[in-house]
């Protein structure tokens, strides 16, 4: 996991410089280095898919990051709630008026609220959007 974590850090550095193609390459390498078991590689690559307006790909990566984060030993990942919020907002962007996807978004936001604690404005505002 050390190699994957190092690659993600390099990707984050490139992301911060707005070198998105380089960041994407590092995240791809991190996924490969971890044999698909490092949630931050998927979560950060999903964020870049959002920038590229590739919502289906982003959702698939958020799904994988959430799946990895739910495994025993990963439950205390401090950023897991953010991945759930990102997945929820991606679903909302894709859903239009789809009630099933809106409910999945609310479910993600509820789980994020449990992980983060009460009163997180980002979660509450997105939950309000899901109910619109």
């Amino acid at each position: 996991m050390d190699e994957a974590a190092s690659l993600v850090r390099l990707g984050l550095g490139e992301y911060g410089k707005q070198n998105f193609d380089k960041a994407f390459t590092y995240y791809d390498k991190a996924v490969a280095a971890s044999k698909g078991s490092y949630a931050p590689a998927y979560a950060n690559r999903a964020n870049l898919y959002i920038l590229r307006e590739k919502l289906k790909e982003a959702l698939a990566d958020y799904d994988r990051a959430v799946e990895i984060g739910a495994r025993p030993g990963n439950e205390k990942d401090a950023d897991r709630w953010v991945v759930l919020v990102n997945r929820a907002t991606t679903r909302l962007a894709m859903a239009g008026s789809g009630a099933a996807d809106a409910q999945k978004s609310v479910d993600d936001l509820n789980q994020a609220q449990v992980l983060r604690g009460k009163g997180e404005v980002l979660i509450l505002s997105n939950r309000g959007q899901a109910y619109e």
Side-chain angles (χ1 to χ4, degrees):
M1 232 32 93
D2 291 338
E3 181 182 2
S6 294
L7 289 164
V8 167
R9 280 192 296 277
L10 290 169
L12 289 169
E14 294 300 331
Y15 183 94
K17 295 185 255 181
Q18 297 188 349
N19 293 330
F20 301 129
D21 289 338
K22 284 184 180 180
F24 195 87
T25 299
Y26 281 122
Y27 299 145
D28 272 346
K29 288 179 180 181
V31 166
S34 71
K35 296 181 174 80
S37 64
Y38 191 57
Y42 284 99
N44 285 292
R45 189 171 69 177
N47 294 340
L48 285 176
Y49 277 131
I50 294 292
L51 286 176
R52 294 176 174 183
E53 298 181 12
K54 294 184 174 189
L55 300 183
K56 287 181 184 179
E57 291 88 344
L59 184 59
D61 272 6
Y62 287 136
D63 285 345
R64 184 73 176 129
V66 169
E67 177 188 324
I68 294 166
R71 291 180 183 163
N74 295 336
E75 308 89 358
K76 297 187 185 210
D77 177 7
D79 293 330
R80 201 164 139 229
W81 74 274
V82 175
V83 177
L84 287 162
V85 170
N86 289 346
R87 182 169 77 169
T89 57
T90 301
R91 277 192 178 125
L92 288 173
M94 293 173 68
S97 59
D101 283 332
Q103 185 55 54
K104 287 180 182 178
S105 294
V106 170
D107 294 345
D108 277 351
L109 293 166
N110 288 341
Q111 187 178 356
Q113 190 70 54
V114 169
L115 292 170
R116 181 65 174 166
K118 296 194 185 262
E120 178 60 50
V121 174
L122 180 64
I123 296 169
L124 296 173
S125 64
N126 281 299
R127 192 181 306 154
Q129 182 184 358
Y131 284 118
E132 286 183 348

